[in-house]
Amino acid sequence: MEIVDTREGFFFKLSGNKTFAVSADDATAAFCPFCYNRISFSDDRCGFCGKNIPEIIYFHGDDQTWIASGNE
């Protein structure tokens, strides 16, 4: 599990068994949820930061953070 930073103008989208960041203006383009570089929905790992694309990203209300799970 890892904390994910959010960026204004993006939201998280589940595609298959992976969760990507997508732009609020164009949900057809995938971005790495960690570094926000553009990637493909078919990618398992970001070619820029090297992190695996997580299975799910959920909001942890106790400390107001977004958590990536399943990206180990």
Side-chain angles (χ1 to χ4, degrees), residues 45-60:
R45 174 181 294 259
C46 177
F48 297 94
C49 69
K51 293 186 178 185
N52 291 330
I53 303 304
E55 292 174 12
I56 191 160
I57 297 173
Y58 63 93
F59 186 71
H60 189 257

Side-chain angles (χ1 to χ4, degrees), residues 10-72:
F10 286 87
F11 63 94
F12 299 121
K13 178 180 179 180
L14 183 64
S15 178
N17 63 344
K18 298 174 279 190
T19 303
F20 298 88
V22 293
S23 170
D25 296 330
D26 180 10
T28 63
F31 295 84
C32 172
F34 298 104
C35 70
Y36 287 86
N37 279 293
R38 189 162 181 176
I39 57 175
S40 171
F41 281 112
S42 62
D43 290 344
D44 292 324
R45 174 181 294 259
C46 177
F48 297 94
C49 69
K51 293 186 178 185
N52 291 330
I53 303 304
E55 292 174 12
I56 191 160
I57 297 173
Y58 63 93
F59 186 71
H60 189 257
D62 289 348
D63 58 3
Q64 305 291 304
T65 57
W66 289 91
I67 306 290
S69 180
N71 69 324
E72 291 81 27

